[in-house]
């Protein structure tokens, strides 16, 4: 029995043993050059680590290479040293290490002088910038402009072309013969006997050397552009004598999922903060003080940051011998966005002070909503701060990037509650009162449904849900181009922005119809009047102050800063208000027409499924299959539709009696009266003996069945 158990155990272990034996041992890579920002090498290190390489860094200013250090590595990455300043002993050490089988990658991204290894392989180093001083027939455009180069074997596995951002890295070969014969790689142009390429490579005894502009492709923001990651693995596999293969990039997929998970959590938190802010129980005094505190904190952070920047800039400019006026002009030029942010915080604070003095007790709900919105936006801002600090190179100061988000908070305060309060009295007198006079709704019903339910609760729920969905979609829209290095069209961003209004309008219409029914408002004409009031007056007014006024203020700031204005983006809030209007009327129309719950649920499901598929197709297409996206969208659709059906059923089936047209009701009542008369005549005919009992039973059963059917209508 013991032998059988051991045998079975060995059989089970064979696949694992086979994989272990087949797996290639990890190659050790030493990056021996100055690294200004280690974060910019983060994805590069993970790419190599996921594909059989372990990476370590040494600073050449701190540590000298020795034979014992080099013996522990398979690949060495160095910046090409200046011929005039080369350390001969160290260079000899490196060359001997290569001949014994080492792989040397000479990073030619930033060669400002006569690089030793470029000269060693090409005979003479001539940069593209110096071409015009020589009689070489190359003219491939401006120095600081992109160029696409064609890749050639053996390093072009799965990638045919790459784009260089800077033509200064191009190398001329063919003028002279180098110390060893090298082949050009990544050819930009060939003229006569000369070749213009991005790289040179050769074998040296048992080792290999390649001059390659590594940092053109290795940064976080470039490594997944086109197929740069494949090119990097091709280079390192060639240096380590490995066969070409497709790299494993699952680590980047996991990173994306991590970002999306964090975004989803913070988006849900933002939505909840907005949704439940109507439960804040406090007085007007404390609500006003809370908004004052927010503006003071934001203005204070701007002031502190600008003071720190002024101190460091003036100290530096004093050392360089610049005057104070030059320092001031440079300060305004470099930090104008933050200066505008400080001025905006001061102006918004003053405007809110005026609004707070005019605020009435009934305006407390809009201030609660404003606080919830500020808290929600602050939660979403945490995601952007985390993403920038984690992924974007040269970003070290969280306040530097967070102040831009704080400016958005000031725009929110400018719109809601400031503009909402300042214009509310005029809006009520000029727009609402004239509507109520001409309608049969009445002020009491208006106060109960609009002031009480709409602004007291439903606005929080509708916009909380819209903010949660919009925030997740917009963060995904923002992150994807950085993670996978590709761009969306403006239409996608506009579609996401409009989805905010779509969701807000849909939920607001459902909640208001349900609330109206609960308050006993069953007449179709009154429901139409209520819908007109909400979606042509109250909801547009809220969205006007919430989005349009902040957008106009942002537009003015953009123009003041000398930036371009995207008219489509600027007009999105107006388009969104129209979308909310259409959604609200569509929901009302379906309700008045008495559409069955099942049909309405199916229609809602199709709309939600289309929206989810759109988001999945745009944002997850790089990391999932179509089947995965369809399944994910289906699950979300089922969950959302189930919730939607429960809400819809309250005013389509299970709540108060559905509105009917007068003609339909009258026809039903008349038919019931006719059946009652027929039943009376039937009883009389049986008593008088004019019909048999069998005929009586058949006719009575038939009439009673029809009567029962009419009674359920």
């Amino acid at each position: 029995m013991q032998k059988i158990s051991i045998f079975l155990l060995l059989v089970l272990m064979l696949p694992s043993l086979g994989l272990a034996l087949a797996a290639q041992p990890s190659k050790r890579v030493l990056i021996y050059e100055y690294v200004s920002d280690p974060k910019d090498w983060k994805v590069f290190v993970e790419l190599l680590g996921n594909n059989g390489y372990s990476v370590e860094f040494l600073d050449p200013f701190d540590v000298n290479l020795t034979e014992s250090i080099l013996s522990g590595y398979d690949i060495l990455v160095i910046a090409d040293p200046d011929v005039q300043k080369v350390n001969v002993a160290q260079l000899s050490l490196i060359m001997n290490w290569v001949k014994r089988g080492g792989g040397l990658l000479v990073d030619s991204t930033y060669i400002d002088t006569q690089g030793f290894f470029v000269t060693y392989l090409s005979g003479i180093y001539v940069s593209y910038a110096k071409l015009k001083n020589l009689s070489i027939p190359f003219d491939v455009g401006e120095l600081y402009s992109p160029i696409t180069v064609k890749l050639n074997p053996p390093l072009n596995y799965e990638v045919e072309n790459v784009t260089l951002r800077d033509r200064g890295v191009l190398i001329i070969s063919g003028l002279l013969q180098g110390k060893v014969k090298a082949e050009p790689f990544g050819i930009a142009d060939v003229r006569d006997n000369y070749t213009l390429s991005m790289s040179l490579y050769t074998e040296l005894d048992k080792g290999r050397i390649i001059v390659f502009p590594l940092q053109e492709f290795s940064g976080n923001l470039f490594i997944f552009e086109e197929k740069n990651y494949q090119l990097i693995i091709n280079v390192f596999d060639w240096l380590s004598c490995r066969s070409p293969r497709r790299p494993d990039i699952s680590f980047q997929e996991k990173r994306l999922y991590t970002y999306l998970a964090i975004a989803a959590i913070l988006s849900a938190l933002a939505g909840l903060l907005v949704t439940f802010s109507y439960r804040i129980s406090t007085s007007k005094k404390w609500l006003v003080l809370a908004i004052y505190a927010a503006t003071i904190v934001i203005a204070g952070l701007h002031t502190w940051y600008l003071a720190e920047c002024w101190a460091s800039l003036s100290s530096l400019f004093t050392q360089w011998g610049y005057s104070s006026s030059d320092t001031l002009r440079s300060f305004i030029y470099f930090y104008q966005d933050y200066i505008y942010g400080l001025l905006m915080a001061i102006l918004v604070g003053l405007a809110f002070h005026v609004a707070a003095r005019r605020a009435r007790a009934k305006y407390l709900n809009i201030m609660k909503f404003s606080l919830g919105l500020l808290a929600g936006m602050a939660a979403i801002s945490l995601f952007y701060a985390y993403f920038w600090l984690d992924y974007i190179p040269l970003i070290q100061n969280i306040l530097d990037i967070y102040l831009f988000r704080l400016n958005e908070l000031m725009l929110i305060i400018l719109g809601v509650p400031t503009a909402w309060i300042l214009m509310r009295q005029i809006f009520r007198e000029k727009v609402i009162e004239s509507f109520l006079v001409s309608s049969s709704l009445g002020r009491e019903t208006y106060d109960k449904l609009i002031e009480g339910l709409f602004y007291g609760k439903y606005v929080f729920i509708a916009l909380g849900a819209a903010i949660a969905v919009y925030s997740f979609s917009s963060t995904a829209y923002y992150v994807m181009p950085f993670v996978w290095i590709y761009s969306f069209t403006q239409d996608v961003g506009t579609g996401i922005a409009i989805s905010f209004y779509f969701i807000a309008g849909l939920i607001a219409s459902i909640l208001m119809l349900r609330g109206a029914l609960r308050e006993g408002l069953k007449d179709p004409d009154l429901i139409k009047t209520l819908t007109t009031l909400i979606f042509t007056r109250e909801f547009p007014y809220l969205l006007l102050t919430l989005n349009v006024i902040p957008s106009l203020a942002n537009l003015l700031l953009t123009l003041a800063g000398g930036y371009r204005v995207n008219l489509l983006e600027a007009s999105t809030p107006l388009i969104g208000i129209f979308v909310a209007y259409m959604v609200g009327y569509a929901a009302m129309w379906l309700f008045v027409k008495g559409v069955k719950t099942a049909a309405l649920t199916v229609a809602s499901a199709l709309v939600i499924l289309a929206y989810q598929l759109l988001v999945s197709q745009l944002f997850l297409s790089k990391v999932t299959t179509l089947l995965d996206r369809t399944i994910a969208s289906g699950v979300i659709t089922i969950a959302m539709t189930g919730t939607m059906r429960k809400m819809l059923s309250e005013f389509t089936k299970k709540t108060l009696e559905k509105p009917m047209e007068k003609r339909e009701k009258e026809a039903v009542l008349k038919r019931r009266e006719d059946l009652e008369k027929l039943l009376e005549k039937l009883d009389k005919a049986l008593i008088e003996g004019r019909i048999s009992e069998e005929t009586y039973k058949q006719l009575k059963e038939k009439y009673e069945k029809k009567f029962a059917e009419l009674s359920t209508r």
Side-chain angles (χ1 to χ4, degrees):
M1 186 65 183
Q2 185 178 5
K3 292 181 179 180
I4 294 174
S5 300
I6 294 172
F7 174 76
L8 291 174
L9 183 62
L10 289 173
V11 170
L12 293 173
M13 290 175 62
L14 279 176
S16 300
L17 290 171
L19 289 173
L21 291 172
Q24 294 177 319
S26 178
K27 298 285 187 179
R28 297 189 65 192
V29 178
L30 175 62
I31 309 292
Y32 188 68
E33 60 177 311
Y34 173 70
V35 175
S36 59
D37 185 7
K39 183 169 60 178
D40 199 25
W41 293 78
K42 183 175 183 177
V43 180
F44 168 78
V45 170
E46 291 180 4
L47 174 67
L48 292 186
N50 242 41
N51 290 277
Y53 298 94
S54 60
V55 181
E56 296 178 26
F57 292 85
L58 279 180
D59 191 335
F61 295 103
D62 298 333
V63 181
N64 288 322
L65 279 181
T66 63
E67 188 172 348
S68 61
I69 292 175
L70 277 176
S71 62
Y73 296 94
D74 302 287
I75 296 175
L76 174 66
V77 178
I78 61 171
D80 200 356
D82 185 357
V83 171
Q84 304 297 327
K85 302 176 181 179
V86 70
N87 185 324
V88 178
Q90 191 173 81
L91 191 61
S92 176
L93 182 70
I94 292 172
M95 296 302 290
N96 289 331
W97 172 80
V98 171
K99 291 177 181 179
R100 293 196 300 269
L104 176 64
L105 190 156
V106 180
D107 188 357
S108 58
T109 308
Y110 303 110
I111 300 180
D112 297 323
T113 56
Q114 184 81 10
F116 171 81
F117 282 100
V118 174
T119 307
Y120 183 78
L121 298 182
S122 67
I124 183 173
Y125 173 57
V126 179
S127 68
Y128 181 70
K130 299 177 180 177
L131 280 181
K132 294 182 179 180
N133 299 329
L134 302 171
S135 299
I136 301 175
F138 284 118
D139 185 11
V140 291
E142 295 297 324
L143 177 63
Y144 298 108
S145 57
I147 184 172
T148 299
V149 298
K150 183 180 175 74
L151 304 185
N152 48 291
L155 302 174
N156 64 338
Y157 179 76
E158 291 288 329
V159 52
E160 297 180 357
N161 304 291
V162 293
T163 300
L164 298 172
R165 303 185 309 278
D166 183 357
R167 303 178 187 216
V169 301
L170 293 172
I171 300 168
I172 309 297
S173 56
L175 288 171
L176 297 172
Q177 177 63 50
K179 185 73 174 177
V180 295
K181 181 173 175 55
E183 298 294 332
F185 171 62
I187 298 173
D189 199 2
V190 177
R191 296 289 178 91
D192 299 333
N193 296 323
Y194 311 122
T195 302
L196 187 65
S197 65
M198 73 168 181
S199 177
L200 296 171
Y201 68 94
T202 189
E203 296 186 15
L204 187 62
D205 291 348
K206 296 181 180 180
R208 294 180 173 184
I209 302 175
I210 184 169
V211 175
F212 179 75
L214 179 63
Q215 293 184 61
E216 272 282 308
F217 308 103
S218 63
N220 292 356
L221 302 182
F222 308 109
I223 197 166
F224 281 99
E225 186 176 7
E226 297 177 343
K227 283 195 172 183
N228 290 347
Y229 63 93
Q230 177 74 61
L231 174 61
I232 290 173
I233 292 300
N234 288 351
V235 168
F236 278 84
D237 282 348
W238 179 80
L239 285 171
S240 57
C241 302
R242 287 179 170 177
S243 300
R245 38 68 188 263
R246 290 181 179 176
D248 178 7
I249 58 172
S250 59
F251 70 95
Q252 192 72 345
E253 296 171 4
K254 293 176 183 176
R255 169 176 281 112
L256 175 62
Y257 289 139
T258 300
Y259 288 145
L260 292 181
I262 295 171
I265 292 170
L266 291 176
S267 297
L269 176 61
L272 291 173
L273 288 171
V274 175
T275 299
F276 291 103
S277 56
Y278 74 90
R279 295 187 176 182
I280 297 174
S281 180
T282 187
S283 64
K284 171 190 167 183
K285 173 185 175 182
W286 291 107
L287 288 172
V288 170
L289 286 176
I291 298 176
Y292 273 141
T295 58
I296 291 170
V297 167
I298 293 172
L301 289 174
H302 274 87
T303 303
W304 176 54
Y305 181 77
L306 288 170
E308 292 287 325
C309 293
W310 170 257
S312 59
L313 189 69
S314 59
S315 175
L316 183 64
F317 274 40
T318 300
Q319 293 178 13
W320 291 347
Y322 287 97
S323 65
S324 57
S325 59
D326 291 331
T327 306
L328 180 60
R329 280 195 297 270
S330 299
F331 175 75
I332 294 173
Y333 176 78
F334 286 115
Y335 300 103
Q336 58 180 317
D337 291 333
Y338 301 100
I339 296 171
Y340 288 142
L342 175 60
L343 294 175
M344 182 172 63
I346 295 171
L347 292 175
V348 170
L350 294 173
F352 175 71
H353 176 70
V354 176
R357 296 181 63 181
R358 297 184 184 180
R360 302 179 180 181
K362 63 174 66 176
Y363 297 166
L364 294 184
N365 286 326
I366 203 66
M367 284 194 276
K368 292 178 183 180
F369 176 73
S370 178
L371 284 177
L373 200 57
L374 288 175
M377 293 300 294
I380 293 299
S381 297
L382 290 175
F383 171 79
Y384 288 99
Y386 166 76
F387 173 71
W388 275 67
L389 288 175
D390 182 67
Y391 197 79
I392 306 300
L394 304 176
I395 298 294
Q396 306 295 337
N397 186 353
I398 186 172
L399 186 60
D400 186 20
I401 57 175
Y402 208 71
L403 285 179
F404 282 103
R405 303 294 301 177
L406 293 179
N407 291 342
E408 294 184 11
L409 301 188
M410 295 309 303
L411 290 174
I412 289 174
I413 296 175
L414 177 64
V416 176
T418 304
W420 191 96
I421 293 174
L422 290 175
M423 298 190 299
R424 185 64 186 178
Q425 188 62 32
I426 297 175
F427 176 76
R428 176 70 186 255
E429 293 174 357
K430 301 294 185 183
V431 179
I432 299 301
E433 290 297 333
S434 60
F435 179 85
L436 293 177
V437 168
S438 62
S439 70
S440 56
L441 196 62
R443 288 183 179 83
E444 183 180 348
T445 304
Y446 171 84
D447 290 336
K448 184 186 295 183
L449 293 177
I450 303 301
E451 301 288 357
L453 290 178
F454 184 71
Y455 281 113
K457 184 176 182 180
Y458 294 160
V459 162
F460 297 83
I461 298 173
L463 293 180
I467 285 169
V469 175
Y470 167 76
S471 297
F472 177 68
S473 300
S474 59
T475 50
Y477 173 73
Y478 182 83
V479 165
M480 289 291 288
F482 287 105
V483 174
W484 292 119
I485 315 302
Y486 66 93
S487 59
F488 295 113
T489 62
Q490 178 63 40
D491 296 341
V492 178
T494 304
I496 292 173
I498 291 176
S499 71
F500 167 84
Y501 301 93
F502 172 84
I503 295 168
L506 179 63
I507 296 178
S509 62
I510 292 173
L511 291 174
M512 282 306 300
L513 285 171
R514 184 178 67 173
L517 289 171
R518 285 180 172 177
E519 294 296 327
L521 199 70
K522 297 184 289 182
D523 186 83
D525 292 332
L526 286 178
I527 290 177
K528 289 179 181 179
T529 303
L530 177 64
T531 305
T532 301
L533 172 64
I534 293 170
F535 289 102
T536 63
R537 288 161 177 80
E538 287 293 352
F539 207 45
Y541 177 75
L542 175 63
L543 295 178
L544 176 74
T545 54
L546 177 65
N547 292 104
V548 176
I549 289 178
S551 295
L552 290 175
N554 187 50
L555 180 66
L556 293 175
L557 287 174
T558 302
L559 292 173
Y563 300 109
R564 280 181 160 188
V565 174
N566 188 314
L567 293 179
L568 178 62
E569 185 177 348
S571 61
T572 298
L574 297 175
I575 300 172
I577 291 175
F578 178 74
V579 169
Y581 164 81
M582 294 298 294
V583 169
Y585 260 94
M588 180 276 296
W589 182 84
L590 290 171
F591 171 67
V592 172
K593 291 298 181 181
V595 177
K596 298 294 185 182
T597 303
L600 201 54
T601 303
V602 170
S604 303
L606 290 175
V607 171
I608 297 168
L609 178 61
Y611 174 74
Q612 291 297 329
L613 275 173
L614 174 66
V615 173
S616 300
Q617 180 67 26
L618 291 173
F619 300 141
L620 302 180
S621 59
K622 286 277 184 178
V623 295
T624 57
T625 65
L626 177 60
L627 179 62
D628 294 333
R629 297 195 296 277
T630 306
I631 292 172
S633 299
V635 171
I636 296 171
T637 299
I638 291 170
M640 293 183 67
T641 304
T643 305
M644 189 74 71
R645 187 186 188 283
K646 184 177 179 182
M647 297 174 67
L648 290 169
S649 66
E650 293 192 26
F651 63 87
T652 56
K653 185 176 181 181
K654 296 180 182 177
T655 57
L656 302 172
E657 181 182 356
K658 294 180 184 179
M660 294 186 189
E661 297 294 339
K662 291 182 179 180
R663 291 181 182 178
E664 183 183 353
K665 288 184 177 181
E666 291 173 357
V668 170
L669 290 173
K670 188 175 184 307
R671 183 61 179 154
R672 288 177 62 181
E673 290 175 0
D674 292 341
L675 286 172
E676 287 177 349
K677 291 178 181 179
L678 284 173
L679 287 170
E680 289 177 1
K681 290 180 180 180
L682 190 64
D683 290 337
K684 186 177 181 180
L686 178 65
I687 294 172
E688 294 176 352
R690 289 187 280 114
I691 59 172
S692 64
E693 289 189 10
E694 184 178 354
T695 303
Y696 170 78
K697 289 180 180 178
Q698 290 177 352
L699 291 175
K700 186 175 182 179
E701 183 181 355
K702 177 182 177 181
Y703 294 153
E704 285 180 343
K705 184 177 180 181
K706 289 183 177 180
F707 188 84
E709 289 177 357
L710 290 173
S711 298
T712 59
R713 296 180 63 178

